[in-house]
Amino acid sequence: MADGPLIVQSDRTVLLEVAHPDATAARHELAVFAELERAPEHIHTYRITRLGLWNARAAGHTADEMLGTLDRWTRFPVPPSVSTDLRETVERYGRLTIERDDEGELLLRSTDPAVLAEVTRNKRISPLLVGRRGEAHVIDAWARGQIKQELLKVGWPAEDLAGYTPGTPHEIALEEDDWELRPYQQQAVDTFSADGSGVVVLPCGAGKTLVGAAAMAATKTTTLILVTNTVSARQWRDELLARTTLTEEEVGEYSGQVKEIRPVTIATYQILTAKRKGRYAHLDVLDALDWGLIVYDEVHLLPAPVFKLTADLQARRRLGLTATLVREDGREGDVFSLIGPKRFDAPWKEIEEQGYISPAACYEVRIDLPPSDRLEYAAAADDERYRIAATAPAKIDAVREIAARHPGEQILVIGQYLDQLDELSAALDAPKITGSTPVDEREELFGAFRQGSLGLLVVSKVANFSVDLPEASVAIQVSGSFGSRQEEAQRLGRLLRPKKSDHTASFYTLIARDTVDQEFAQNRQRFLAEQGYSYTILDAGAEAA
């Protein structure tokens, strides 16, 4: 045991000394099973959680490997209670299994009769059971998803071994003429294919869409792809047509504008959750064909109603794609139970070091509220304070100065408030894209930005998700969704796609000093700190000097 960068504490928190020469290596190994809680300048605090341990176990990591990480990097001996608790928690995963017998019935089994007796007496689990088969319990046919949710809540996550419907066979192959899957993409596909359901975690720009396409080629079945918006749906379609043997006649779009059911159908989350006369009006798409695979793009954004629908889709293979398992609504457990546990992830910095995503420098630029705005802020109600701080007029001047320091680069200015975006668009003489911008106009502007004929674009949160802008090298975030870590990850992700230019990506966040804006920024930055990115603090007027 050397002078390591970690201190493991008996409350299952782990402290990481950021300046330690081994901090990066320790962080990469620790992030497999622990979640970053706080990330100030010098000491980062991680917490070892049950769900984190079970996700790591499902991804193939053993208790011995996790304890080995702690022992290897800790400065002081790991408390025996932490070692014992970690091992016992990891061993809970898979003690219960869901299997299917020769007659097609779902069975709940366990190698530990006491555990089986405990969970089957639970008042929320017992109604989902309809009989016995020897020592096993028969699960009601409709309850495969719900029983997994309930078992997770009582601390006994079941490993689902009941298999999947093959769906309608449909020939799909990759066309790797002048490209090939990167090693980590192939590993992700192989890991998913071995299990049939689960989540692949990769950075923005690391080619999650290609992982989805390769999974489709591996399963060769009719596929339903669920995406965040129509722009994303069309990018998926274009990528599938370019990278696979699929033709335009085989790929359909099911959105607010188009209702096509094809062997590969791309639907938006919005259309699935759209209601008419109090009922979901488009659920038929879930049973329109005998889908053999369902792909959930940006699974961390899956709307809550879709969890309920997904509980009824447990017989179908499910692949979740995301840059982060963080959900701001705290429903990571539902992703684990209903989509599947994490099957594969690759640290952002590791992929950057391999040259597959661009390096990035992150800056927090602090501006001061003028006295009049400071008085208004002090007198405002809590729910108004963030808006006053986030839309401070001084941010517009700061954006101008930052943009002037990056001549010839592709710049995105990203904000939350429409009136602020209007002011920025006018001040910068740049077009803007918001939720009300027609899809065709969005695609035209994004296309001009990709081609380089448009160098600066003002966008709302519609650009957070699944928008491919590979040559963007500067992002200036003027306001965001309060303390959303997932949004911070997505916005930096706009910059990480490999570039033809040699620009290092620059990610600026504008913060009003000594306000809730600054407090929320600290929370947003937690996820990126976990991935090895650090923020340089600048004063407005000294940006990137």
Side-chain angles (χ1 to χ4, degrees), residues 1-9 14-15 17 67 69-80 83:
M1 192 176 311
D3 182 26
L6 299 183
I7 297 175
V8 184
Q9 305 189 109
V14 182
L15 305 181
E17 182 187 350
L67 287 171
T69 292
L70 298 180
D71 288 334
R72 183 161 46 255
W73 301 115
T74 188
R75 184 169 304 174
F76 307 111
V78 176
S83 299

Side-chain angles (χ1 to χ4, degrees), residues 20 32 61 67 114 136 148 167 241 251 278 288 364 386 411 414 421 429 442 482 484-485 487 507 511 513 533:
H20 193 284
V32 168
H61 303 283
L67 287 171
K148 287 193 289 186
L241 294 177
V251 182
E364 180 181 301
Y386 178 67
I411 302 173
I414 311 172
L421 296 178
D429 192 24
R442 288 188 208 182
F482 303 98
S484 172
R485 292 166 288 167
E487 183 175 74
F507 181 58
I511 299 299
R513 195 191 313 271
Y533 292 93

Side-chain angles (χ1 to χ4, degrees), residues 8 36 38 101 138 168 225 266 268 328 333 373 381 396 403 414 475:
V8 184
L36 184 67
R38 294 184 297 279
D101 66 11
V138 180
T168 303
I225 303 169
I266 308 170
T268 62
E328 301 306 329
D373 288 352
I396 294 178
I414 311 172

